[in-house]
């Protein structure tokens, strides 16, 4: 049974975007648009070039912000504020998911490559506020992004996580490699499975998956 493979877990780490809400709401489309607009304005490039840089930096550096910081010495704080200034109207409360998260035994945290204030607004819109013991953004890892090992180590040290007693839920398969190497149970949350040795489980329905662990 799946539950048996989580019987030792007392620390639960959740990504935010496209993990604690379904990718079908396309919330991140707004952020990508604002990223592109920011790159166009601040770097003085065309929209096509800005889109290319946004995608290339995400691929090569883990996040667009990480690439901008390394290649252009960008100040991350105003960038994060601007790109996360979006509408949350597409998000709806999810009582079933809230109930399942609430029933998880032990410590529950959110760890996102976005900012913590942005994460708090997403959780509020999803009806998940107050369910987590801590919320960590990229700022808590000195702006090192997942999938960098240094990012995970910084956040996990800050929170006091013991990886071998923890599970990681994440939509980006790249971001499960380090947690797996650290000894965590890894769950890929996405519409389509990605076969990989560092992924223990896959689900397209987070609430449904958690129901097997808490029923």
């Amino acid at each position: 049974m799946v539950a048996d493979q989580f019987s030792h877990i007392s620390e639960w780490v959740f990504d935010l975007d496209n993990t604690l809400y379904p990718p079908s709401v396309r919330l991140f489309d707004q952020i990508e648009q604002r990223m592109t607009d920011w790159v166009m304005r601040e770097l003085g490039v065309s929209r096509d070039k800005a889109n290319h840089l946004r995608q290339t930096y995400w691929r090569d550096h883990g996040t667009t912000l990480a690439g901008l910081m390394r290649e252009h010495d960008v100040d991350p704080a105003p960038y994060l504020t601007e790109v996360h200034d979006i509408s949350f109207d597409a998000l709806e409360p999810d009582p079933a998911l809230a109930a399942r998260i609430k029933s998880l035994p032990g410590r529950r945290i959110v760890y996102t490559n976005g900012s913590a204030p942005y994460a708090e607004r997403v959780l509020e819109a999803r009806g998940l506020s107050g369910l987590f013991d801590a919320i960590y953004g990229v700022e808590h890892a000195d702006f090192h992004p997942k999938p960098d090992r240094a990012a995970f180590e910084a956040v996990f040290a800050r929170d006091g996580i013991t990886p071998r007693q923890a599970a990681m839920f994440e939509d980006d398969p790249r971001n499960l490699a380090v947690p797996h190497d650290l000894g965590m149970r890894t769950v890929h949350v996405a519409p389509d499975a990605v076969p990989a040795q560092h992924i223990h489980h896959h689900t397209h329905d987070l609430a449904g998956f958690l129901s097997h662990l808490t029923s």
Side-chain angles (χ1 to χ4, degrees), residues 25-94:
V25 304
R26 305 193 69 84
L27 190 71
F28 209 76
D29 288 4
Q30 295 183 63
I31 297 174
E32 290 181 340
Q33 179 63 55
R34 294 187 72 82
M35 288 178 181
T36 298
D37 291 344
W38 192 97
V39 172
M40 286 178 61
R41 185 185 72 241
E42 296 298 324
L43 300 187
V45 298
S46 68
R47 181 167 297 278
D48 285 346
K49 179 65 173 179
N51 271 320
H52 173 74
L53 290 175
R54 175 178 59 77
Q55 295 165 353
T56 300
Y57 290 163
W58 176 85
R59 182 193 67 212
D60 294 345
H61 298 280
T63 62
T64 300
L65 173 59
L68 289 169
M69 291 177 66
R70 292 168 187 170
E71 302 294 336
H72 305 280
D73 198 27
V74 162
D75 181 355
Y79 168 90
L80 285 170
T81 298
E82 181 168 331
V83 302
H84 289 124
D85 184 16
I86 62 171
S87 169
F88 298 95
D89 291 346
L91 295 179
E92 297 180 351
D94 190 337

Side-chain angles (χ1 to χ4, degrees), residues 122-196:
V122 171
L123 295 176
E124 181 179 9
R126 288 287 281 159
L128 304 177
S129 295
L131 297 179
F132 296 95
D133 297 286
I135 300 170
Y136 297 105
V138 68
E139 65 268 35
H140 295 107
D142 196 26
F143 300 101
H144 292 291
K146 298 179 286 184
D148 289 1
R149 188 181 187 94
F152 288 102
E153 290 178 342
V155 168
F156 292 171
R158 179 186 288 262
D159 198 77
I161 286 176
T162 303
R164 293 194 176 278
Q165 299 174 4
M168 181 85 194
F169 297 80
E170 167 75 57
D171 72 298
D172 188 340
R174 300 180 303 170
N175 296 343
L176 291 171
V178 170
H180 175 274
D181 290 347
L182 293 173
M184 298 177 74
R185 202 78 194 160
T186 58
V187 184
H188 182 216
V189 184
D192 300 314
V194 177

